[in-house]
Amino acid sequence: MEMRKYLCAVALIISVAGCQSSTKAGGAGGTATSGASPSVPLLPPAGVVTRVAEVSYSGGFVVRSALAAPAVAVYSDGTVVFDARKRLTLTPGALDYLVQGVQQDLKGQSSTKVLLPKGGHAIPDGAITVLGVYQPGGAYQTVRALVLGVSTESEYPAPVADAFAKLQALTSDAATPYTGTKVRYEMQCPPNGTGPVQPWPAGLPQPGAADCAEVHSADGAVATAVRAACTGIDTPSGQRQPAATVYRSDKGLRICRWRYALPDETS
């Protein structure tokens, strides 16, 4: 019953944020945009957008792309980004309510031990769910649980399951595509048996490493070149991705893929 009340309250505040965000600046009721001043119970540096909570995944049978983004990433300006594909904006009140709840849920939980479902059985090739939250004082805490979200949530400590449910509940309200000026891109050596090779695109930085994998963030003219030359990541993490064009660089053949960068992905 407590969790249901919590989720209903967050859903109500989010719905209010949605209504306010369509109101013109200066109009009645204000706005719920990234310009709002949050009162999150922590003190990130002034002017810096900081990640304050997340749900992400690591490991498992499916090999995750280097561009895989958190399933849910919550920021100090109220922005919430889902898989780097959808977004919503929380009001300062909703952000406070959410972060304080997750802080309390994860307080005292181990940041090093991987929680197993009740019975303690390891699941071969099972993905690890990572829950993260800023705790008062600025330390970012992460709690890891094997196949949380696949196994029944009652098989884990109730506070951990509650934190997961609070963050996952946000996904039901995500409808706006996530975009930005910054991009995140990956260069790789192509698989064997690739098709025709194209000249290296103008404006795309040459690989900086001789090995076959590197990831960068970019803005401005470089971001424009990346969007023009590289293959967009428009499928959820783990799904088959479309074939990428093969280019000849100074260090050999490369393919590149991109997505929009998250607010805290700067390098």
Side-chain angles (χ1 to χ4, degrees), residues 75-244:
Y75 291 91
S76 55
D77 65 351
T79 300
V80 187
V81 184
F82 307 91
D83 287 315
R85 297 167 63 238
K86 300 287 185 180
R87 67 177 298 277
L88 60 79
T89 304
L90 298 175
T91 64
L95 184 63
D96 268 356
Y97 199 54
L98 175 70
V99 173
Q100 289 185 52
V102 178
Q103 285 176 340
Q104 288 299 314
D105 289 336
L106 299 186
K107 185 177 181 179
Q109 297 291 334
S110 173
S111 294
T112 57
K113 178 182 177 182
V114 177
L115 297 172
L116 302 178
K118 286 181 181 178
H121 297 297
I123 300 175
D125 297 322
I128 294 174
T129 303
V130 181
L131 305 177
V133 70
Y134 254 103
Q135 290 289 356
Y140 195 80
Q141 179 188 11
T142 56
V143 174
R144 298 180 296 160
L146 185 66
V147 297
L148 175 59
V150 177
S151 292
T152 305
E153 291 174 21
S154 62
E155 296 184 15
Y156 301 86
V160 174
D162 286 351
F164 177 74
K166 288 166 184 172
L167 293 168
Q168 281 293 102
L170 299 173
T171 62
S172 62
D173 292 282
T176 304
Y178 176 70
T179 61
T181 59
K182 294 190 303 179
V183 299
R184 186 82 165 164
Y185 68 100
E186 172 189 26
M187 291 185 186
Q188 287 184 320
C189 293
N192 293 330
T194 56
V197 177
Q198 302 294 325
W200 193 254
L204 184 66
Q206 289 281 344
D211 60 22
C212 283
E214 56 185 289
V215 179
H216 304 281
S217 294
D219 205 343
V222 173
T224 300
V226 167
R227 290 195 299 267
C230 302
T231 302
I233 302 297
D234 56 3
T235 57
S237 300
Q239 291 189 11
R240 185 176 180 84
Q241 298 171 357

Side-chain angles (χ1 to χ4, degrees), residues 16-43:
V16 172
C19 292
Q20 290 179 335
S21 63
S22 63
T23 306
K24 293 182 179 180
T31 64
T33 67
S34 59
S37 298
S39 53
V40 184
L42 53 92
L43 295 173

